[in-house]
Amino acid sequence: MNNKSNGDKDILWTTSEVVEATGGKTKREFSAGGISIDSRSVTPGDLFIALEGPNFDGHDYIGAALEAGAAAAVAHRRPTGLPRGAPLVMVKDSLAALGDLGRFARARSNARVIGVTGSVGKTGTKEALRHCLSGQGPTVASMGSLNNHWGLPLSLARTPHNALYGVYEMGMNHPGEIRELTKLARPHVALITAIAPAHSAFFDSLDQIAEAKAEIFEGLAPGGTAVIGRDSPYYELLAQRVREAGAERLISFGQHPEADARLINYTLQPGHSTVRALIGNRALDYFVNLPGAHWVMNSLAVLATIKATGADVGAAAGQLCRLKPLKGRGAREVLTLNGGSFELIDDSYNANPTSMAAAIAVLMQATLGNGGRRIAVLGDMLELGDKAPELHAALAEPIKAAGIDLVYTCGPNMAALHDALPKTLRGGHTADSRGLAPMVAAALRPGDTVLVKGSLGSKMAIVIKALEALDTLGDTAPRVANGE
């Protein structure tokens, strides 16, 4: 029997499985080794799902996907100009069909499934779980931040038959969203990393955010385990929701003396941390290859979750020394500059008050070159509602306490921070990141360490690209003075 798809990948989906899962109809036999929803990323042997969105309609790209080697396409309308006999699976609604594929894949899988949510740290923690479990068996995890109503079913549909562990992220910005996701994933272990002000434009209080995150417990598989932070002011609320959901076990992590995964002590270094913790009754000393006290706590969440799966906690702790920061989420690089170099910390993917404070603390720990400065380049934190100006201005205190030398800001909300800072710390403020990028690039000098952070909608990646391009700008780049 041939166990390879027509793209020479292991078979992930057969015709009969796709038809059974979706209730679709097709006249062609095929086998698929992957799932794609973007014709630009299709590889030979993929099953292409034509999703209809607000800006693009995947049905218009079915032809391109098939030309790129897609084994077949799932669609709810046939585009014009497609050759007769093209391999199509016709369904009532392609987004619903994607959900059906995710549900079918979850039902057929023997993997131990972990669901991860939280206001901060969920993507990094998800990746750390993937990294630590991969040494103990075939492990699959959501790619990037595929954590919404189409990202989660896509991730589930990509789960290989031999997966021993599956780690899936669940995100939300409105009540009820995680409830639908967790019922699809039916995790054996559900982890909430933290409760913090994020998406607060859609919630009246942190209590409501905690309630929304707690929805993840409602989908726990029979005999499931919940993992939550023992130090959280919302511990009792979350623990009550765990009990109401009928979870078999609750495992907590933190510094609290009653935490099941308890921090004993730790030492922070510019690029890593050393940790001693008690996981259950087992004392562990380990090294976390990512900086910041927040990663010390994340490591406890990781080990508590791994304990809940029944995997080897000691082996997992040993893997934490090999963690690598993700691009846009704390990745660091040293870039050349006339007369020397500077360090860039790329934390440009997302931001809220809690993650901002953590990033500022990391910048405080950075090792500078001769004459170097600690420089923060900050874009708006989005979806914070009426309190946005106040929450932005409040960053002035941790910035001053951390000894940051210069702060560059952009966006209407960051104007409040700019005004709250002492004049000696104001590097400059612009309406958007496009205006800020050349200002920051021109102000850098050898020995500096630069943190770039903001919500995705602030487009701080523009600043990152400008700084990475400094090698090619030479002496022709415009220069501006620091200050007002």
Side-chain angles (χ1 to χ4, degrees):
M1 178 180 176
N2 182 8
N3 292 320
K4 299 290 183 179
S5 70
N6 61 6
D8 292 328
K9 306 171 186 176
D10 289 339
I11 292 177
L12 184 63
W13 289 95
T14 63
T15 309
S16 60
E17 287 176 321
V18 173
V19 169
E20 181 181 352
T22 65
K25 297 181 179 180
T26 184
K27 298 179 179 179
R28 293 282 300 273
E29 290 289 326
F30 60 86
S31 59
I35 301 280
S36 177
I37 60 171
D38 187 339
S39 62
R40 297 167 298 182
S41 62
V42 165
T43 59
D46 282 351
L47 177 65
F48 178 68
I49 314 294
L51 299 183
E52 186 175 349
N55 300 314
F56 299 98
D57 187 345
H59 293 80
D60 297 333
Y61 300 93
I62 290 176
L66 294 175
E67 288 179 7
V74 174
H76 58 248
R77 70 172 177 84
R78 184 186 180 91
T80 58
L82 204 63
R84 182 184 296 273
L88 296 178
V89 180
M90 299 305 299
V91 296
K92 292 182 179 179
D93 180 273
S94 55
L95 179 59
L98 177 59
D100 293 335
L101 291 171
R103 191 172 294 104
F104 188 96
R106 172 64 184 89
R108 75 184 181 188
S109 177
N110 292 318
R112 293 287 291 173
V113 173
I114 299 168
V116 181
T117 193
S119 302
V120 291
K122 56 184 175 292
T123 299
T125 301
K126 176 259 299 180
E127 285 300 316
L129 284 164
R130 179 198 59 76
H131 171 81
C132 290
L133 288 169
S134 291
Q136 303 191 38
T139 301
V140 64
S142 309
M143 291 179 62
S145 296
L146 293 179
N147 60 20
N148 62 5
H149 65 290
W150 57 263
L152 176 64
L154 176 62
S155 298
L156 289 168
R158 287 171 167 170
T159 302
H161 294 272
N162 69 339
L164 188 59
Y165 302 103
V167 190
Y168 304 100
E169 183 177 333
M170 301 181 203
M172 64 91 190
N173 55 23
H174 287 84
E177 290 180 317
I178 288 180
R179 178 175 292 115
E180 297 305 314
L181 298 177
T182 190
K183 289 180 179 179
L184 182 65
R186 293 187 295 110
H188 298 100
V189 183
L191 164 66
I192 296 180
T193 57
I195 304 298
H199 310 300
S200 51
F202 308 111
F203 297 90
D204 293 331
S205 66
L206 279 173
D207 292 72
Q208 289 187 0
I209 293 175
E211 292 281 10
K213 296 297 184 183
E215 292 171 8
I216 193 172
F217 306 132
E218 298 176 22
L220 276 169
T225 301
V227 181
I228 59 178
R230 189 64 179 84
D231 304 330
S232 172
Y234 299 96
Y235 173 78
E236 293 299 338
L237 184 155
L238 296 177
Q240 178 62 27
R241 298 297 173 264
V242 170
R243 290 188 288 270
E244 291 171 356
E248 184 170 293
R249 283 195 301 168
L250 168 61
I251 297 179
S252 63
F253 62 91
Q255 292 181 289
H256 194 284
E258 296 178 8
D260 301 299
R262 179 163 63 89
L263 179 64
I264 298 173
N265 55 58
Y266 66 98
T267 303
L268 299 179
Q269 299 294 335
H272 65 271
S273 301
T274 55
V275 183
R276 182 171 180 82
L278 193 65
I279 311 298
N281 296 318
R282 182 177 181 181
L284 289 173
D285 294 287
Y286 57 91
F287 178 104
V288 182
N289 193 38
L290 292 172
H294 62 296
W295 262 107
V296 173
M297 283 300 169
N298 286 348
S299 74
L300 293 177
V302 167
L303 296 179
T305 301
I306 287 174
K307 178 178 175 61
T309 67
D312 188 327
V313 175
Q319 290 296 317
L320 290 169
C321 68
R322 297 182 176 87
L323 284 178
K324 295 182 180 179
L326 305 174
K327 184 170 179 59
R329 301 179 186 273
R332 303 166 86 120
E333 55 183 327
V334 175
L335 300 170
T336 58
L337 197 64
N338 289 338
S341 62
F342 69 96
E343 184 178 30
L344 174 62
I345 305 174
D346 178 4
D347 209 349
S348 61
Y349 186 80
N350 212 345
N352 57 51
T354 301
S355 66
M356 274 286 190
I360 290 164
V362 168
L363 181 58
M364 178 178 67
Q365 292 282 333
T367 300
L368 304 178
N370 291 334
R373 303 159 297 173
R374 294 180 174 87
I375 300 174
V377 184
L378 308 178
D380 276 355
M381 302 179 289
L382 303 180
E383 297 184 353
L384 293 181
D386 294 340
K387 292 185 177 180
E390 175 187 340
L391 292 169
H392 284 74
L395 295 174
E397 290 307 314
I399 284 172
K400 289 187 288 185
I404 307 305
D405 296 293
L406 277 175
V407 181
Y408 290 86
T409 55
C410 65
N413 290 320
M414 274 297 170
L417 171 60
H418 178 80
D419 293 341
L421 288 169
K423 289 186 177 181
T424 54
L425 298 189
R426 297 177 187 172
H429 178 80
T430 61
D432 55 36
S433 59
R434 193 169 298 280
L436 193 63
M439 183 186 297
V440 176
L444 290 189
R445 65 191 190 204
D448 289 343
T449 295
V450 186
L451 164 71
V452 180
K453 188 168 181 64
S455 288
L456 188 61
S458 298
K459 301 181 180 179
M460 299 306 287
I462 291 173
V463 179
I464 294 294
K465 290 179 180 178
L467 299 186
E468 290 176 335
L470 280 175
D471 286 343
T472 65
L473 293 179
D475 294 330
T476 62
R479 309 296 291 184
V480 297
N482 293 337
E484 300 270 68

